[in-house]
Amino acid sequence: MDSSPTPARFELTVEEPVIRLRNGAKVETRDDCTGPGQRVLITVGVHGNEQCGIFAVNELVREGFFVDIWESHCEIAEITLVIGNPRAVAENIRFVDVNLNRVFLEEHKVREGGQLYEESLTPRLSQAIDHATWYLDLHSTSAPTPCFCIPAGRNSIAVSESLPVEYVLEDLLSSLEGTTLHWAARDPQKVAVCVECGQHQDAGSVKLAKQAIVQFLAEAAGKVNPDRAAKHVLSCSQRQEVRSGFRYPQGCVPHAFQHVTFGQVLAYDDQGPVCCPFRSGAYLIMPTAHSILGEEAWFWGLEA
């Protein structure tokens, strides 16, 4: 098969969930790029109801961004765009069988895949992450929230601080397991970040996702953003789990990044009131509006 790039227009869809670009054009071949330059992977729709990244990618396509970028960002060898969970995107649901962003655990299972739909996706995604030198994962939240970034490790913090976000959340991966960022973090040299762009279906989340893509690719090409100040850095190594009977008082979901005080009652479950356990208080990170038993109700954010 001819592996030379073709200038055809494209769109990232559930019917064509993987697109590879070299020199500003779509490449049909499946061979790995091994030449000089950064290999950038951007995943969107890892959760099917979080579609701001898909809209952002396709708007940038229509604007000609992915064609023009090679004129000024020639240090990038390849860009791969992936819809992580196509069937869930098509159905506009978080996942079909299991949370795709919690199944990147045991290596042999990830490599081989499994019978559940999301498990069948892990071989392709893990291979794409392994091949990339820079990795950006775009998400959105169920409740209104400021935009924030999660770095996979120390090697990714500086890039996180360059992105158009209000908060950088360090150590969040220590209170989770099985995410695509965990898989990426196995390589300490890889730059890997997740950006939460705002609330589902909010037009502002699409705008933020576009800005994040543009700036991330600029950083990958060595065009360092000098504006790394004024980011609020929080340490987020603990989470509040959704237990049986979990509910908010009067059904009111807390505000994202709301600061709460020691002992403040935030929710209830079958074990009693859920209170802030930190004497200096804490911030509530990603409080969910749609609680799922066993997943996080929110993460605790402490001043770093």
Side-chain angles (χ1 to χ4, degrees):
M1 179 183 293
D2 182 7
S3 63
S4 61
T6 59
R9 303 287 292 176
F10 63 88
E11 183 177 10
L12 191 64
T13 66
V14 295
E15 291 79 19
E16 188 173 12
V18 180
I19 290 176
R20 303 175 77 175
L21 304 172
R22 297 177 192 165
N23 297 321
K26 179 181 172 184
V27 177
E28 300 295 343
T29 181
R30 294 175 179 243
D31 69 299
D32 286 338
C33 176
T34 57
Q38 303 294 351
R39 301 183 299 275
V40 181
L41 171 66
I42 300 174
T43 55
V44 297
V46 168
H47 292 134
N49 59 342
E50 301 177 16
Q51 300 185 17
C52 63
I54 301 173
F55 295 129
V57 164
N58 287 328
E59 285 189 15
L60 288 171
V61 169
R62 290 190 291 271
E63 293 167 8
F65 171 76
F66 289 108
V67 174
D68 298 338
I69 189 173
W70 263 272
E71 296 181 4
S72 57
H73 295 175
C74 57
E75 295 178 27
I76 295 175
E78 179 182 70
I79 300 172
T80 303
L81 309 168
V82 177
I83 294 179
N85 198 331
R87 185 174 158 192
V89 168
E91 298 180 30
N92 194 30
I93 55 177
R94 183 171 173 83
F95 54 79
V96 176
D97 293 319
V98 292
N99 188 341
L100 176 58
N101 218 23
R102 297 294 185 274
V103 296
F104 286 81
L105 296 166
E106 299 177 44
E107 181 169 2
H108 73 280
K109 291 183 179 180
V110 172
R111 298 288 189 197
E112 296 174 6
Q115 294 184 348
L116 298 179
Y117 176 69
E118 277 77 15
E119 292 175 343
S120 73
L121 300 173
T122 60
R124 172 174 60 86
L125 277 174
S126 62
Q127 184 178 18
I129 294 169
D130 289 345
H131 179 63
T133 56
W134 284 57
Y135 173 41
L136 173 64
D137 186 29
L138 295 174
H139 287 260
S140 58
T141 58
S142 60
T145 183
C147 49
F148 60 91
C149 187
I150 304 166
R154 299 297 170 189
N155 192 45
S156 305
I157 290 176
V159 173
S160 297
E161 293 177 347
S162 80
L163 298 177
V165 298
E166 297 181 42
Y167 294 86
V168 175
L169 307 184
E170 298 182 2
D171 305 318
L172 187 73
L173 294 190
S174 64
S175 58
L176 283 171
E177 61 178 3
T179 71
T180 60
L181 278 192
H182 284 93
W183 189 265
R186 302 183 323 147
D187 179 356
Q189 300 304 312
K190 192 188 304 291
V191 173
V193 300
C194 167
V195 176
E196 295 278 356
C197 301
Q199 190 176 23
H200 308 335
Q201 301 179 344
D202 182 349
S205 67
V206 177
K207 180 179 179 181
L208 192 284
K210 290 174 67 176
Q211 294 172 342
I213 291 169
V214 170
Q215 183 56 40
F216 187 79
L217 288 170
E219 291 280 328
K223 299 181 180 296
V224 176
N225 182 359
D227 181 20
R228 298 180 186 271
K231 299 293 192 297
H232 201 157
V233 180
L234 298 175
S235 175
C236 305
S237 60
Q238 299 183 55
R239 70 173 191 158
Q240 179 62 48
E241 182 177 338
V242 174
R243 298 181 298 230
S244 177
F246 181 89
R247 61 198 181 279
Y248 293 112
Q250 290 80 49
C252 297
V253 181
H255 299 299
F257 292 92
Q258 176 181 333
H259 188 268
V260 296
T261 57
F262 174 67
Q264 182 174 341
V265 176
L266 304 168
Y268 296 90
D269 60 28
D270 289 348
Q271 298 182 26
V274 179
C275 305
C276 173
F278 302 100
R279 293 198 171 275
S280 59
Y283 293 86
L284 301 185
I285 311 301
M286 288 190 288
T288 180
H290 306 289
S291 56
I292 299 175
L293 190 66
E295 292 201 3
E296 59 277 355
W298 59 76
F299 296 92
W300 299 103
L302 306 178
E303 296 283 357

